[in-house]
Amino acid sequence: TRSTRPQRLLTHVKQRARRGDAQSVITTIDDYCRAREWAMNVGDEKGSILDQVVCEVSPDVALELGTYCGYSSVRIARLLPPGARLLTVEFNHDYATIAREVIDWAGLQDRVQLLEGASGDLIPQLRQKHGIETLDFIFLDHWKDRYLPDTRLLEDCSLLRRGTVLLADNVICPGTPDYLEYVRSSPRYQSQYFSSHLEYTRAEDGLEKSVFLG
Ligand SMILES: O=C(NCCCCc1cc2cnccc2s1)c1cc(-c2ccc(F)cc2)cc(O)c1O
Ligand SMILES: [Mg+2]
């Protein structure tokens, strides 16, 4: 049967990117998705904003919802301080399999733990099963209609602390209107919009950074 888009992307990474060189993995994926096949990675333009926020926060414990092929896992993990870790959650087994290989190729497997399953099931397990006290940084990039319920779940599971930063992809395209309304109107968050474009296109999109105020 025909290979899948993520499989073709992984093949390209293994042929073109230098093993252990995270930046070459990032550049190779961006070049491929711009020139050959679009894919729903956060991309280079929004990725630079992601980098800037990760460097600012310098999280010890980061959570990513929506791994896909591991592109943003590599972007985040390459910037983490030694001893820090990224937990990334993926629902689709085939995507998760590809993502593990991409993260390994980038040499970042020791900083990234990939969990397979639905965010709604895994978030309540983070404390007992994964030893998480509170989260320093969360990147939301999964089902757009899960951003709000999962943010409420993170609150209810006491996984947020004063200063925890949430960064949400695709708040314009495909759009997360209920989430935006919530974080922009709630007194418990200080939100800021970073205007950008949908990965590899000229369509408008952006990231919303929201700081939990406790
Ligand atoms: O759907 C998107 N991302 C989510 C897919 C992952 C589903 C998961 C659910 C789930 C549940 N629990 C745990 C883990 C997970 S992962 C997405 C889509 C576009 C897009 C697509 C077409 C288009 F024309 C314009 C934009 C752009 C993007 O940047 C995206 O991120
Ligand atoms: Mg996205």
Side-chain angles (χ1 to χ4, degrees), residues 120-135:
D121 300 331
L122 289 171
I123 287 168
Q125 297 178 345
L126 289 178
R127 179 167 285 106
Q128 268 77 17
K129 206 169 171 195
H130 302 283
I132 304 284
E133 179 58 26
T134 53
L135 296 162

Side-chain angles (χ1 to χ4, degrees), residues 99-120:
R100 286 191 209 289
E101 293 207 51
V102 168
I103 292 160
D104 285 358
W105 195 264
L108 294 167
Q109 65 286 343
D110 296 343
R111 308 185 195 181
V112 182
Q113 186 174 1
L114 197 157
L115 307 176
E116 287 189 48
S119 49

Side-chain angles (χ1 to χ4, degrees), residues 40-42 46 139-142 144 147 169-170 173-174 198-199 205:
M40 59 183 171
N41 315 119
V42 73
K46 289 186 289 179
F139 183 52
L140 297 96
D141 194 21
H142 61 326
K144 308 314 160 191
Y147 284 26
D169 189 26
N170 310 116
C173 177
L198 178 68
E199 47 267 29
D205 191 18

Side-chain angles (χ1 to χ4, degrees), residues 32-77:
Y32 181 80
C33 294
R34 192 178 297 282
R36 307 272 279 282
E37 281 191 289
W38 186 91
M40 59 183 171
N41 315 119
V42 73
D44 48 345
E45 193 178 306
K46 289 186 289 179
S48 299
I49 300 165
L50 171 61
D51 289 357
Q52 172 197 321
V53 175
V54 171
C55 286
E56 233 171 65
V57 177
S58 191
D60 291 323
V61 184
L63 173 68
E64 176 180 58
L65 301 175
T67 315
Y68 188 44
C69 295
Y71 173 88
S72 46
S73 308
V74 169
R75 285 203 83 113
I76 294 165

Side-chain angles (χ1 to χ4, degrees), residues 57 59 134-137 158-165 212-214:
V57 177
T134 53
L135 296 162
D136 304 313
F137 176 77
S158 307
L159 287 163
L160 305 182
R161 49 116 174 130
R162 188 175 329 105
T164 296
V165 171
F212 185 63
L213 301 175

Side-chain angles (χ1 to χ4, degrees), residues 133-197:
E133 179 58 26
T134 53
L135 296 162
D136 304 313
F137 176 77
I138 298 136
F139 183 52
L140 297 96
D141 194 21
H142 61 326
W143 285 322
K144 308 314 160 191
D145 61 2
R146 286 296 314 180
Y147 284 26
L148 180 53
D150 286 341
T151 298
R152 304 306 304 262
L153 189 54
L154 288 162
E155 290 171 6
D156 297 345
C157 294
S158 307
L159 287 163
L160 305 182
R161 49 116 174 130
R162 188 175 329 105
T164 296
V165 171
L166 289 78
L167 187 66
D169 189 26
N170 310 116
V171 297
I172 305 298
C173 177
T176 63
D178 59 343
Y179 173 79
L180 271 190
E181 166 58 31
Y182 177 70
V183 290
R184 289 176 175 177
S185 60
S186 166
R188 302 182 78 187
Y189 292 89
Q190 178 60 44
S191 278
Q192 179 184 4
Y193 176 64
F194 293 84
S195 180
S196 184
H197 296 92

